[in-house]
Amino acid sequence: MSVSRQNDHLLAEDLSSRAVTVKSFPSVMYLEATRGCPYTCIMCKVPDEHGRKSVDVSQDLLNRVSPYFQYLEILGIHLYGEPLISRNIDYFIEATRANDCYLHMNSTGFFLKPELVDRLLATRLHIMFSIHAGTSATYRKIMGQDLQRVMDNISYLTEKSTLSGSPDNEFWFSYIVVKETVNEIDDFLLLAHRTGVSKVRFMKLDPNPKILKGAYREAEDFVYRYHEQFNREVGQTFLDQLPRIRERAQELGITIEAGNMEFAAAHGVSLKQAAHRASRLLPIELNILPLVKRRVDPSGGGCCLAPWTGQIQISQDGNVNLCCSARYSLGNVFEKSLEEIWNDHRIRAIRGDFHNGLFPRTCGYCKGMPADEYGVKIVGRYA
């Protein structure tokens, strides 16, 4: 039996019992392939916090984590930079080919040139394109780029993928729903349809210092503030439109996949998540927010596989976070092996809460990572 098959069976057992100490390894891993970004997406903090020069992950870190690639179903290569400008892109293409897993990334698509597309299609792909507007004018205000050029880039990818006979490839459009864009969703769905993308997701806006203060795009004389762009009114407008959005998506042959906007709008988390932003940086032992732990309610959208399947985020500094929502470190791969970190006291405390039917405080107001987060099997794929 192959290593990946053995791990999959162990993972299914660990997950079914909500084991606190596990025998399996993560099946989803994100690496900070690049840090820093030359682009100017208005809601993004990366250029301000990490600079506009792209810095690649070190070979030392790759050597420490690459032995665990054999257990993966998904290898993600984005955190705080644009993955398509990584100088290691061919390394990641070959690594995912060799380990028969998906190469996953969130990308703007700005740098998706034909020559790069041809190289990417050598492996299985799962790419979520950050579109975040339905019209060219709004796209330029928010993303600072030419929408049509990006659509042309993505159309080339989807057409080449179809011609190459790669049915397993997954291409999604991701859309942050805010005041500027909540009434452009029909246009957004048409963009997906015209570029051959059949899956979309709707996301909430996450707070950061840049947009809490207010980000300004001088060329458009446009100010983008968190509490103006994402609030109860915006959330209710989205919920009111959702039945019609679902109907329109169905007409176009588009599937609305897992996203966190519906959950966020229904639970009014805009102010809550801003308050939780600081506390989620704390070690699990010190975090006191939310004051009352939420109960896990799968029927209401609250569930999470990440403590078992992983959605681990490994930064260029070696810190290992559980997922994109949890900002504290489980450990550092320059100090301990990933195997040790994966059963250390912090991750066992998180699993312990879930085992007892509670969301850990560090999860804040996250809805959790469901089984359909990626549209591909991340556990039980050999069942």
Side-chain angles (χ1 to χ4, degrees), residues 274-294:
H276 183 62
R277 182 182 174 276
S279 69
R280 70 180 183 174
L281 295 167
L282 296 171
I284 189 169
E285 308 95 295
L286 302 179
N287 197 346
I288 63 169
L289 294 175
L291 294 175
V292 178
K293 293 182 180 180
R294 291 182 293 141

Side-chain angles (χ1 to χ4, degrees), residues 15-235:
L15 184 58
S16 64
S17 65
R18 294 297 192 266
V20 175
T21 300
V22 299
K23 299 176 182 177
S24 58
F25 291 96
S27 64
V28 181
M29 176 191 295
Y30 286 20
L31 288 175
E32 189 181 16
T34 62
R35 176 178 288 186
C37 184
Y39 301 117
T40 58
C41 305
I42 199 164
M43 79 293 281
C44 183
K45 65 179 182 178
V46 170
D48 293 330
E49 294 190 1
H50 301 292
R52 300 189 65 179
K53 180 181 178 181
S54 179
V55 177
D56 289 288
V57 63
S58 70
Q59 189 60 50
D60 186 10
L61 189 142
L62 290 175
N63 291 342
R64 291 170 187 267
V65 300
S66 60
Y68 302 94
F69 290 174
Q70 63 186 316
Y71 305 112
L72 296 180
E73 179 61 12
I74 293 173
L75 174 60
I77 58 168
H78 66 271
L79 283 181
Y80 297 115
E82 167 55 61
L84 290 179
I85 58 178
S86 168
R87 296 174 186 84
N88 292 314
I89 194 72
D90 291 313
Y91 170 91
F92 295 120
I93 291 169
E94 182 52 38
T96 49
R97 284 186 62 189
N99 292 282
D100 191 27
C101 61
Y102 278 92
L103 179 60
H104 168 66
M105 66 188 80
N106 286 3
S107 172
T108 59
F110 299 161
F111 201 70
L112 194 66
K113 307 298 183 185
E115 182 271 335
L116 179 56
V117 166
D118 295 341
R119 287 152 59 200
L120 287 168
L121 287 172
T123 192
R124 287 195 293 165
L125 298 173
H126 189 291
I127 304 179
M128 295 185 180
F129 291 104
S130 303
I131 303 306
H132 307 325
T135 65
S136 293
T138 304
Y139 187 85
R140 186 166 291 281
K141 284 169 67 175
I142 292 176
M143 306 294 284
Q145 298 290 326
D146 177 13
L147 177 61
Q148 188 56 54
R149 181 170 67 85
V150 174
M151 293 300 103
D152 291 343
N153 292 347
I154 297 170
S155 293
Y156 181 84
L157 171 66
T158 59
E159 290 167 8
K160 289 284 287 191
S161 177
T162 300
L163 291 172
S164 68
S166 304
D168 291 338
N169 288 342
E170 292 265 338
F171 305 121
W172 296 19
F173 275 5
S174 188
Y175 191 84
I176 296 176
V177 180
V178 294
K179 177 183 175 183
E180 294 296 318
T181 65
V182 68
N183 293 313
E184 294 187 0
I185 293 176
D186 284 349
D187 299 305
F188 166 73
L189 293 174
L190 278 174
L191 290 174
H193 177 67
R194 290 168 181 167
T195 52
V197 171
S198 60
K199 295 184 177 182
V200 302
R201 67 174 187 171
F202 297 106
M203 304 298 289
K204 66 179 175 62
L205 180 65
D206 284 330
N208 64 58
K210 174 183 173 181
I211 60 175
L212 284 170
K213 181 176 65 175
Y216 180 61
R217 191 180 296 285
E218 185 175 2
E220 311 293 334
D221 192 23
F222 173 53
V223 180
Y224 189 98
R225 292 187 179 90
Y226 174 76
H227 291 297
E228 292 175 0
Q229 292 296 330
F230 180 46
N231 50 46
R232 287 186 180 274
E233 182 180 350
V234 172

Side-chain angles (χ1 to χ4, degrees), residues 304-321:
C304 191
L305 304 186
W308 293 273
T309 64
Q311 197 196 51
I312 56 173
Q313 321 266 309
I314 304 178
S315 73
Q316 292 189 7
D317 303 321
N319 286 318
V320 180
N321 295 352

Side-chain angles (χ1 to χ4, degrees), residues 13-22 294-296 304 307-308 347-360:
E13 291 174 8
D14 289 336
L15 184 58
S16 64
S17 65
R18 294 297 192 266
V20 175
T21 300
V22 299
R294 291 182 293 141
R295 295 208 63 83
V296 173
C304 191
W308 293 273
I347 183 62
R348 285 189 285 109
I350 291 170
R351 293 193 192 112
D353 274 344
F354 277 109
H355 182 85
N356 293 323
L358 299 170
F359 270 94

